[in-house]
Amino acid sequence: MEKENKNLSFNDYVSRFNVFLKQRKLSHTSERNAILRAIYQFDKHFTLEELLNYLKKNKYYVSRSTLYNNINLLLEAGLIYKYQFSNQDLPCYEKCLKENVHNHIYNIKTQEVIEFSDQRIEDIIHEIEQKYNIKVLQHNFVAYCEDNNN
Amino acid sequence: MEKENKNLSFNDYVSRFNVFLKQRKLSHTSERNAILRAIYQFDKHFTLEELLNYLKKNKYYVSRSTLYNNINLLLEAGLIYKYQFSNQDLPCYEKCLKENVHNHIYNIKTQEVIEFSDQRIEDIIHEIEQKYNIKVLQHNFVAYCEDNNN
DNA sequence: TTCTTTGCAAATGCTTTGCACCCAG
DNA sequence: CTGGGTGCAAAGCATTTGCAAAGAA
């Protein structure tokens, strides 16, 4: 909870996607630009439907197929998170602005998400790697909470 | 990773379900018994389909609807976990034998899961509660790993 | 008897796919 | 030009639902 590394600027965000596209030998398209710009606008997490509506409202129509396709690419690129907090809720996505932060506090009432870092989690991962002779590729921590005053 | 509390016996497991059923004013049925017994047999996680096949093989047919229904009950009762490690994989379930252990190491190759406890995670949760004036209801930690020798 | 559960079939709804047309490189 | 991208409609498929029959309390 101590380390608070800086958020990525929109330009950095875009260029990370460009690097990814280049690696994969994929093309730049106006749809991809529009989607990336839209995602960056969202301050909180959003569903695919909400993203679609946002794009439509802003006079940029993208088909569902294209959106699914590119959401999957962005997930693979590590530029967005996918949450599915409850079984019946739709999956939510959120731009990933801090690198290597995979710890989240999720408010089940307001559905707000706070990202945080903590050295102790890094320590635990290190110890796991030693103890089991494995490489931890990624991790995920979610604390589900509610406000004390309700 | 230090605390290693004991696993629940099958009888304890069953009686925890019975308590849950009583609380919810739900009935005992032979299907529920069969499902619980089957789940306890599995040493590793399983898909709903695998559970269904296992039951069928052991001469106890249960319909998909019933299985879904009861899997959801068991989830609410906290007697099984639900994992969905990758987007395209089916969700996996696993009996929850230790109370209050929500930390997992997941081997992406062998798909093995190790449960563990760690005081530092409890500490972090405590600090989160203080800092944001919230109550953490539940948490989940997953470390995705692979073997070093491959 | 009364309320719950089961099982079948059908519906639901998110996501993927096939394919023709279009566009970036 | 040529391989990848987009959009539409259709398919896929895990899960849920409606309802009649069966079972628990």
Side-chain angles (χ1 to χ4, degrees):
Chain A
M1 289 189 290
E2 305 86 11
K3 283 190 296 183
E4 304 274 351
N5 43 0
K6 276 231 305 282
N7 286 348
L8 291 178
S9 71
F10 179 60
N11 282 341
D12 291 341
Y13 196 65
V14 170
S15 75
R16 281 178 69 192
F17 192 45
N18 289 340
V19 168
F20 175 80
L21 291 177
K22 198 165 193 174
Q23 280 178 343
R24 292 281 199 96
K25 299 195 203 308
L26 301 173
S27 318
H28 293 256
T29 65
S30 54
E31 287 83 359
R32 284 181 176 151
N33 285 335
I35 291 169
L36 212 63
R37 198 173 314 117
I39 286 175
Y40 198 89
Q41 304 303 317
F42 277 87
D43 283 329
K44 294 182 60 174
H45 54 84
F46 51 86
T47 62
L48 192 131
E49 209 60 28
E50 289 167 343
L51 182 52
L52 205 59
N53 288 335
Y54 178 89
L55 285 162
K56 207 181 288 175
K57 213 185 304 171
N58 289 63
K59 313 276 179 248
Y60 207 97
Y61 177 76
V62 191
S63 74
R64 251 186 203 76
S65 331
T66 300
L67 199 49
Y68 273 109
N69 174 25
N70 285 299
I71 284 285
N72 285 335
L73 287 179
L74 287 164
L75 282 169
E76 290 174 43
L79 286 168
I80 56 175
Y81 288 120
K82 180 177 185 175
Y83 302 100
Q84 187 150 21
F85 290 115
S86 116
N87 267 332
Q88 44 270 27
D89 283 339
L90 291 181
C92 286
Y93 304 92
E94 189 172 1
K95 62 177 181 276
C96 174
L97 287 184
K98 294 173 182 165
E99 295 190 72
N100 302 318
V101 176
H102 303 287
N103 308 316
H104 303 90
I105 305 168
Y106 172 64
N107 188 316
I108 60 168
K109 294 273 170 56
T110 65
Q111 304 209 318
E112 278 175 296
V113 177
I114 302 170
E115 294 181 335
F116 71 96
S117 301
D118 195 294
Q119 184 54 44
R120 285 165 293 185
I121 288 181
E122 311 302 319
D123 294 343
I124 290 169
I125 287 170
H126 232 86
E127 291 171 27
I128 287 171
E129 290 183 324
Q130 305 276 313
K131 179 171 180 183
Y132 297 103
N133 189 32
I134 55 179
K135 172 88 192 126
V136 173
L137 306 167
Q138 217 201 322
H139 77 273
N140 216 310
F141 178 93
V142 188
Y144 300 88
C145 72
E146 65 180 13
D147 291 329
N148 271 333
N149 51 323
N150 54 330
Chain B
M1 291 186 292
E2 304 86 11
K3 285 189 294 183
E4 304 272 352
N5 43 0
K6 276 230 305 283
N7 287 349
L8 291 178
S9 70
F10 179 60
N11 283 341
D12 291 340
Y13 195 65
V14 171
S15 74
R16 281 178 69 192
F17 192 46
N18 289 340
V19 167
F20 176 80
L21 291 176
K22 198 165 194 177
Q23 280 177 342
R24 292 281 199 98
K25 300 195 203 309
L26 301 172
S27 320
H28 294 257
T29 65
S30 55
E31 287 83 359
R32 283 182 178 150
N33 286 335
I35 291 168
L36 213 62
R37 198 172 315 117
I39 286 175
Y40 199 88
Q41 305 303 318
F42 276 87
D43 283 329
K44 293 182 61 171
H45 54 83
F46 51 86
T47 62
L48 191 131
E49 208 60 28
E50 289 167 343
L51 182 52
L52 204 60
N53 288 336
Y54 178 88
L55 284 162
K56 206 181 289 175
K57 213 184 304 170
N58 289 61
K59 312 278 179 244
Y60 207 97
Y61 176 78
V62 190
S63 73
R64 252 187 203 74
S65 331
T66 300
L67 198 49
Y68 273 111
N69 174 26
N70 286 300
I71 283 284
N72 286 335
L73 288 180
L74 287 165
L75 281 169
E76 290 173 45
L79 287 168
I80 56 175
Y81 289 121
K82 180 177 184 175
Y83 303 100
Q84 187 150 22
F85 290 116
S86 115
N87 266 332
Q88 44 270 28
D89 283 340
L90 291 181
C92 286
Y93 304 91
E94 190 172 359
K95 63 176 180 277
C96 172
L97 286 185
K98 294 174 183 165
E99 296 191 71
N100 303 317
V101 176
H102 302 286
N103 308 316
H104 303 90
I105 305 167
Y106 172 63
N107 188 317
I108 59 168
K109 294 270 170 58
T110 66
Q111 304 209 320
E112 277 176 295
V113 177
I114 302 170
E115 295 182 335
F116 71 96
S117 302
D118 196 294
Q119 184 55 45
R120 286 165 292 186
I121 287 181
E122 311 302 321
D123 294 342
I124 290 169
I125 287 170
H126 232 85
E127 290 170 28
I128 287 171
E129 289 184 326
Q130 304 274 313
K131 180 170 178 183
Y132 296 104
N133 189 32
I134 55 179
K135 173 86 193 131
V136 172
L137 306 167
Q138 216 203 321
H139 77 275
N140 215 312
F141 178 93
V142 188
Y144 301 87
C145 72
E146 66 179 13
D147 290 330
N148 270 335
N149 52 322
N150 55 330

